[in-house]
Amino acid sequence: EAARPDEAAFNALVNGLAIQQDVIQKRKHQRMKRQRDRTYKGDPRMSLEQEKEELDYYHSPERAEKILKRMEDLCSNGYLDFQPSVWVYSSVLKTWAKSGRWDAPEKARSVLDRMNDLYVSGRNPSVRPNNISYNIVIDSFAKAGKPKEAEALLRELSESYEAGLVEKGPNLISYTSVITAYGRIKNKYWIQANKAEAVLREMQKLGDPSLKPEIIAWTALIDVYAKACIFGGEKSYVPPMECLERCMDLLDEMIKENVEPNIVTYNTVIKAMAFSKHEFDREKYRDRVVALMKERGVEPQKYTISVLSKIMTSEQQRK
């Protein structure tokens, strides 16, 4: 009886798998960095231990679900006097979201649907989903480049909040993830940018101070318009000058809204100027951005200077 596991033990076990994923992912990025580094003297290939880590990372979600299923079975058999809480289920959601697998968003969505079903049916009142649960799944669809599904979940979260099925409604993370999702679609960039902007405008119209767009949301939106300038070319093609003008307008609007653009925001616009395949007066836009950076006291990075130099070189060649 004394050794019977409690809810904290189960939660720690499932959450530990999510933490393990973070550690393994960090090591994976370090290995990839070494493989790109030509000065690295060691063997950049994976060892047997590293290959095992990769497999552990890949199968962590299934392991988490098995633990959750075991927990549910023990509860139904009367061995445990508690039911899995929302935090246990959210930890399972995290393992799917962090796995990076192609089926991760749908699998996470399946777990979220199970949570909703258990709560609405009254079989498990402690599993009431919250906006954190939804945000994990929204972000998973966003990273997979599935904005339609991400926005559908955003709407579902909002409706569930109004119906009293979740404690809190969408927050900044919810909306920003959807905006970012539209930037991951590799076609019809102008259309995606307009859809992303509609989400940001919705945040503004709600009039909730906690939902006022912050720098991440603004920069994500500018990034979608920047991609429309760089890639363009589809049937919905819009001249690159219009894309850049939209980026500049958004920069000005940010400042008016007391959201200060940072170097990442400026680099996003500068990148659009430099790498667009279309011919237009890059110097005009370059001068506007540089003047704005000086006015706002933003110091350029090495990347900023490098890309600005590329613009200058290309303009000299064009002339």
Side-chain angles (χ1 to χ4, degrees):
E1 184 69 28
R4 180 175 295 189
D6 58 9
E7 184 182 4
F10 278 102
N11 193 28
L13 187 58
V14 177
N15 196 46
L17 289 171
I19 294 172
Q20 180 191 42
Q21 283 180 304
D22 287 336
V23 174
I24 295 174
Q25 189 176 43
K26 185 177 179 180
R27 290 176 182 170
K28 181 180 178 180
H29 288 163
Q30 289 173 343
R31 286 199 300 272
M32 292 173 66
K33 186 177 179 180
R34 288 198 296 267
Q35 288 172 349
R36 293 192 298 267
D37 185 2
R38 296 180 181 180
T39 63
Y40 180 66
K41 302 298 182 182
D43 188 350
R45 294 174 297 180
M46 285 196 296
S47 64
L48 290 175
E49 182 181 349
Q50 290 168 341
E51 288 180 5
K52 182 179 181 300
E53 278 189 350
E54 292 283 328
L55 287 173
D56 286 343
Y57 182 86
Y58 189 82
H59 293 295
S60 288
E62 281 93 349
R63 292 165 64 190
E65 288 227 42
K66 283 182 180 179
I67 294 169
L68 177 60
K69 182 66 170 62
R70 178 62 175 162
M71 193 177 178
E72 290 173 333
D73 291 341
L74 290 173
C75 291
S76 62
N77 294 333
Y79 182 77
L80 299 177
D81 57 0
F82 59 87
Q83 292 180 306
S85 71
V86 62
W87 302 113
V88 177
Y89 280 89
S90 293
S91 293
V92 176
L93 290 174
K94 285 180 186 177
T95 62
W96 277 115
K98 292 181 178 182
S99 69
R101 289 168 42 168
W102 67 269
D103 59 345
E106 287 74 18
K107 293 287 188 179
R109 174 73 208 232
S110 177
V111 175
L112 181 63
D113 288 343
R114 201 158 102 216
M115 294 170 68
N116 278 312
D117 180 57
L118 288 169
Y119 177 72
V120 172
S121 66
R123 286 177 288 160
N124 186 353
S126 64
V127 78
R128 181 185 188 186
N130 52 35
N131 55 8
I132 296 174
S133 312
Y134 271 91
N135 285 347
I136 293 170
V137 188
I138 290 171
D139 185 60
S140 183
F141 276 111
K143 288 178 178 174
K146 297 182 177 181
K148 183 178 178 181
E149 292 84 349
E151 188 164 355
L153 271 170
L154 174 67
R155 306 301 167 209
E156 182 181 315
L157 173 57
S158 182
E159 291 169 6
S160 296
Y161 175 64
E162 291 175 3
L165 298 177
V166 294
E167 294 180 14
K168 295 181 179 180
N171 58 16
L172 274 173
I173 295 173
S174 316
Y175 283 97
T176 303
S177 292
V178 175
I179 293 172
T180 304
Y182 281 108
R184 293 180 180 272
I185 298 294
K186 296 182 179 179
N187 57 57
K188 300 181 179 178
Y189 292 94
W190 181 259
I191 294 175
Q192 309 308 330
N194 279 274
K195 290 180 179 179
E197 184 167 354
V199 175
L200 186 136
R201 299 306 173 194
E202 180 183 331
M203 296 169 71
Q204 293 176 317
K205 287 179 182 178
L206 288 170
D208 185 341
S210 68
L211 292 177
K212 181 182 178 182
E214 294 183 349
I215 188 165
I216 296 175
W218 285 103
T219 303
L221 177 57
I222 290 172
D223 182 61
V224 190
Y225 278 109
K227 286 175 180 174
C229 178
I230 295 171
F231 301 106
E234 66 273 2
K235 291 181 181 179
S236 59
Y237 171 70
V238 174
M241 294 78 73
E242 189 168 338
C243 299
L244 276 176
E245 284 293 346
R246 195 76 202 98
C247 291
M248 296 302 300
D249 290 343
L250 289 169
L251 276 176
D252 292 336
E253 187 178 348
M254 285 177 69
I255 295 169
K256 290 178 182 177
E257 292 290 326
N258 295 318
V259 180
E260 198 65 39
N262 61 17
I263 189 60
V264 176
T265 316
Y266 289 109
N267 282 347
T268 302
V269 181
I270 292 169
K271 180 176 65 177
M273 299 177 207
F275 297 106
S276 174
K277 298 176 183 177
H278 308 284
E279 293 296 329
F280 57 94
D281 188 357
R282 287 173 168 81
E283 286 186 346
K284 179 181 76 173
Y285 292 101
R286 181 201 64 194
D287 292 344
R288 285 176 63 185
V289 173
V290 170
L292 191 57
M293 288 177 67
K294 288 180 178 179
E295 179 187 327
R296 312 306 298 184
V298 178
E299 290 294 325
Q301 296 175 330
K302 287 182 180 179
Y303 174 83
T304 317
I305 297 169
S306 173
V307 179
L308 287 172
S309 298
K310 176 180 172 60
I311 294 173
M312 186 179 298
T313 302
S314 62
E315 284 298 289
Q316 289 173 348
Q317 291 175 347
R318 186 173 69 89
K319 294 176 180 179

